[in-house]
Amino acid sequence: MKKRICLALLLLACAVLATACAAKDETTPLATSTSSVPTVLNSSEYTLYQNIFYNNYASQYVGKSMTKRGVITSIYDAYSSVTRYYVCGYLDQTKCCDWQWELQVEDPSTLPAFGSLVEVTGTFAQNEGALDQYWLSNAKVNTLTTYTGATADINMLTMTGTLERVQVMNYSSNHEAFEGKTVFAYGRVYGPNMFQDPYYDGSWMAAFVTNDEVPAVGTSIILRGVMQAGIITDAKLETI
């Protein structure tokens, strides 16, 4: 009888513990939040990206399911009049080498704020609609960390250097598509009213207008302003 009572008490304690754990799981958020854009470093992802897009390995992966963890962002492709979605990250802390996978998204309204940390699963597919001819089709996005910081119509602070270069090329050549849009950008001071690629000399340069004091040439800065005639105007500058 004593053994039965002990067993009953043990089972009751286990049941109470299980209930408490379940209650804790129900109140634990699925994703945390952050006011800064996460930095995702993945050397294996960079190597795969290089092999697929520069070493002709793409055909070996077409039709395969892939899972990517990185920062979600978008660029506006004014040449094709479409918004393109990406999950992206870097090789290492220098951030000069990066990777980005375009996503084919069925319902963009379900995506988290750009700058959020996500895990994406999709099928690697060749498609003429993709900017570089390949994307992750039927992409399913799971949010790991939600970005809650400041936003803009074109937020290049959520982009890798490669994606920022593509976006700058777009707004420099297609002024009308970006007129009046708020914009965040980053780079290095090139001159009194010019900034350039954050990492590579001569990759691209772009103009800005500001009432702020412009730091010395070569200084890394963030710009927040409004697009007018292909120029970031009313720019507020922040030294990185």
Side-chain angles (χ1 to χ4, degrees), residues 51-218:
N51 282 336
I52 284 178
F53 289 102
Y54 298 101
N55 297 325
N56 301 316
Y57 283 24
S59 61
Q60 300 180 24
Y61 293 90
V62 170
K64 292 186 177 181
S65 177
M66 289 185 171
T67 299
K68 309 295 182 185
R69 178 176 292 200
V71 173
I72 192 165
T73 190
S74 73
I75 65 170
Y76 184 69
D77 178 359
Y79 295 99
S80 303
S81 299
V82 298
T83 300
R84 300 187 181 278
Y85 305 95
Y86 291 87
V87 58
C88 59
Y90 300 92
L91 167 65
D92 55 32
Q93 286 285 2
T94 65
K95 295 186 178 181
C96 61
C97 299
D98 50 45
W99 48 267
Q100 40 274 314
W101 303 96
E102 187 173 355
L103 311 176
Q104 186 261 320
V105 178
E106 292 292 339
D107 183 5
S109 68
T110 64
L111 297 177
F114 300 135
S116 297
L117 178 66
V118 299
E119 188 170 81
V120 181
T121 300
T123 302
F124 188 70
Q126 185 172 14
N127 193 293
E128 292 298 321
L131 186 60
D132 293 314
Q133 308 303 308
Y134 297 94
W135 61 18
L136 296 186
S137 65
N138 300 313
K140 307 301 180 186
V141 179
N142 179 36
T143 305
L144 304 177
T145 303
T146 302
Y147 174 71
T148 58
T151 61
D153 296 326
I154 306 295
N155 187 357
M156 289 182 274
L157 303 183
T158 66
M159 303 177 190
T160 58
T162 296
L163 290 177
E164 184 179 33
R165 182 179 74 246
V166 174
Q167 190 65 92
V168 169
M169 291 171 59
N170 268 269
Y171 81 65
S172 297
S173 301
N174 301 275
H175 306 167
E176 299 82 2
F178 297 89
E179 192 70 13
K181 293 186 179 296
T182 56
V183 58
F184 296 165
Y186 66 104
R188 293 173 296 151
V189 176
Y190 185 75
N193 291 102
M194 298 286 290
F195 72 113
Q196 69 166 330
D197 188 296
Y199 311 111
Y200 297 104
D201 292 340
S203 171
W204 57 263
M205 286 83 74
F208 65 90
V209 176
T210 183
N211 290 322
D212 292 352
E213 181 178 352
V214 179
V217 170

Side-chain angles (χ1 to χ4, degrees), residues 1-58:
M1 177 63 72
K2 186 175 181 180
K3 290 183 178 180
R4 291 180 180 176
I5 293 174
C6 290
L7 179 59
L9 290 174
L10 180 60
L11 292 174
L12 178 60
C14 290
V16 171
L17 180 60
T19 301
C21 290
K24 183 178 180 181
D25 290 341
E26 289 175 359
T27 59
T28 301
L30 295 178
T32 58
S33 61
T34 179
S35 59
S36 59
V37 178
T39 297
V40 177
L41 309 179
N42 191 322
S43 58
S44 297
E45 202 68 72
Y46 176 76
T47 299
L48 178 62
Y49 177 80
Q50 290 290 310
N51 282 336
I52 284 178
F53 289 102
Y54 298 101
N55 297 325
N56 301 316
Y57 283 24

